[in-house]
Structures are given as structure tokens and as C-alpha cells.
Amino acid sequence: MGILYLVRHGQASFGADDYDRLSALGQRQSQRLGQYWAERGLRFDAVLTGTLRRHAQTWAGIAEGAGLGDAQALAWPGLNEYDSEAVIRAVLPRGGDTVLGDPHSPEGYRAHFRLLRDGLAQWMAGTVSPQGMPSYGDFVHGVTSALDHVRTHHHGQKVLIVSSGGPIATAVGHVLGLSPEGTIELNMRIRNSAVTEFQFSPKRHTLLTYNTLPHLDGSAYADWMTYA
């Protein structure tokens, strides 16, 4: 049996013009995870990441914290996140930008994720087609192709995937046979730098843990837990 570790990227830049980069805290979360694993002697036989900047930065932070130098990863586009802004725009009424408000305010933050839930449900059902995005079936295939690659090529090994909340929740939903609504609920709750573990054989993946933060256990990291 092999073990697959799936890590959501560190805290990114929610509400900024360029979300796709880690914040200073996101960098520290990633480095701390690498340090935690190094302290326990964990090494990976293979690493896959999405191709987004926050994925690469998270892997670089993990490698730095673990003292791995310029360790290489296989870039897998199917592990990229959906475009949340495109999902929301697909369900906004015409001229509805004011519905969102300031993303840094409590009201704007709630409005963002309320619309995101609605947009994701409609995208999954095939009733909307967010601009520039694949169909939901193609998105799922991108994620499951990575799982298939791990099962086929890395039997008995320890493998790391660095991705985003949507692909990780999709992977868990696929393995557990969840409804779209269940997968959305998983997606909305996954934390930055959280670790999910699958055990795998050539035939299947089995969920061991979901959304854990063992590297942030302790009073020194009490304010390091983030979601966006």
C-alpha cells in the first residue's frame, strides 16, 4: 500500500487584485509543514502540483522547511483550482457587482461565499458554464487523472500532491462517492496548508484523514489557521 498526501496551498491573497500568490503567513504555513515532516523523517518518492503560482510557492515553502533544496515536482494542470470569480459571475444578475461588496468586510465575505456555493452547485449540475472554465465533468477528470497516475506509477510509495481546495474536495468526494452538495461542503471547510491522506493500491484509494493541521498544533501557531 502507498500513502498519498494532498496539501491545500498556504494562505493566498484573498480580496487582492492578484489572489494567486501566497501571503507572508501562507509562506510560513508551508515552511512549517515541511519542517514538521522533516522532524518526523517523512520523505516523498514523488511530488505533483497544480500549475498555479500558489501551488509552486507552497511546494517551495515545504521543500525549504524540510531542507530539500530545489526538489522538483511534476506539474499537473488537472490539479488547478476552478476560477471562483468566473463561477460567481455566472450566477450574478446583470449589473449585480454591487451584490459582492467589499470582500474584506464581513458582509462582503459572506456574500462572496454564498454566491460561490450557488455557482458551484449550478456548474456541477450543468446549468451554467462559467466563462473560460471546463465543464464540471472535465474538471473532475483532471483531478481523477492525477489519482490514476499515482495508483499506476507509484504503488507502495509516499506521494505528495499540492493543490487547492476544489480539487482536493473533488478527490475526496470521488473516493467516497459523495453528492455534489457534499463535495461543496468539504470544499468550503478546507483550511490553508491542511493535509488530507489517502491509502492507495493499484485498484483504489481509501480516505485516511481529511483537512488536518498537525504542523500547527501548539500555542505558538494559534493564530496561523486560515481558510482563504
Side-chain angles (χ1 to χ4, degrees):
M1 290 287 187
I3 302 292
L4 173 61
Y5 300 79
L6 302 98
V7 172
R8 187 192 177 199
H9 60 78
Q11 184 190 55
S13 301
F14 180 76
D17 290 338
D18 182 8
Y19 173 77
D20 191 24
R21 55 183 172 83
L22 295 190
S23 67
L25 176 56
Q27 295 280 3
R28 295 195 298 273
Q29 290 167 338
S30 304
Q31 291 164 358
R32 172 57 194 149
L33 178 56
Q35 180 186 33
Y36 171 86
W37 276 334
E39 290 168 352
R40 284 150 184 80
L42 178 59
R43 291 290 185 270
F44 298 104
D45 299 294
V47 179
L48 287 74
T49 74
T51 64
L52 301 178
R53 184 191 309 167
R54 59 190 183 271
H55 300 157
Q57 290 177 335
T58 298
W59 166 234
I62 292 171
E64 179 181 349
L68 299 179
D70 296 326
Q72 298 299 305
L74 174 62
W76 199 278
L79 293 170
N80 287 349
E81 183 64 290
Y82 54 76
D83 183 343
S84 61
E85 294 303 321
V87 170
I88 289 172
R89 298 289 175 202
V91 296
L92 274 179
R94 184 180 297 275
D97 288 5
T98 56
V99 174
L100 291 172
D102 179 1
H104 298 289
S105 71
E107 296 80 9
Y109 188 87
R110 286 193 293 270
H112 175 94
F113 285 100
R114 182 173 62 252
L115 286 165
L116 180 58
R117 285 174 183 268
D118 182 26
L120 287 173
Q122 294 196 46
W123 174 48
M124 291 174 168
T127 58
V128 299
S129 300
Q131 186 174 7
M133 280 178 46
S135 69
Y136 181 63
D138 286 344
F139 179 81
V140 172
H141 175 72
V143 174
T144 58
S145 68
L147 299 183
D148 291 344
H149 173 84
V150 170
R151 287 190 299 102
T152 301
H153 297 283
H154 298 289
H155 177 57
Q157 297 183 340
K158 293 182 175 64
V159 181
L160 172 64
I161 281 179
V162 179
S163 183
S164 293
I168 293 172
T170 299
V172 174
H174 173 75
V175 168
L176 296 182
L178 298 182
S179 66
E181 293 78 14
T183 299
I184 292 172
E185 289 306 309
L186 289 179
N187 187 183
M188 294 298 107
R189 286 166 171 73
I190 190 166
R191 300 171 289 186
N192 293 119
S193 76
V195 181
T196 294
E197 297 170 278
F198 289 157
Q199 187 178 62
F200 68 91
S201 70
K203 292 185 177 181
R204 65 180 61 87
H205 285 83
T206 303
L207 181 67
L208 294 179
T209 69
Y210 177 70
N211 198 26
T212 66
L213 294 170
H215 54 299
L216 302 184
D217 184 19
S219 58
Y221 310 107
D223 58 351
W224 286 35
M225 188 178 74
T226 58
Y227 287 84

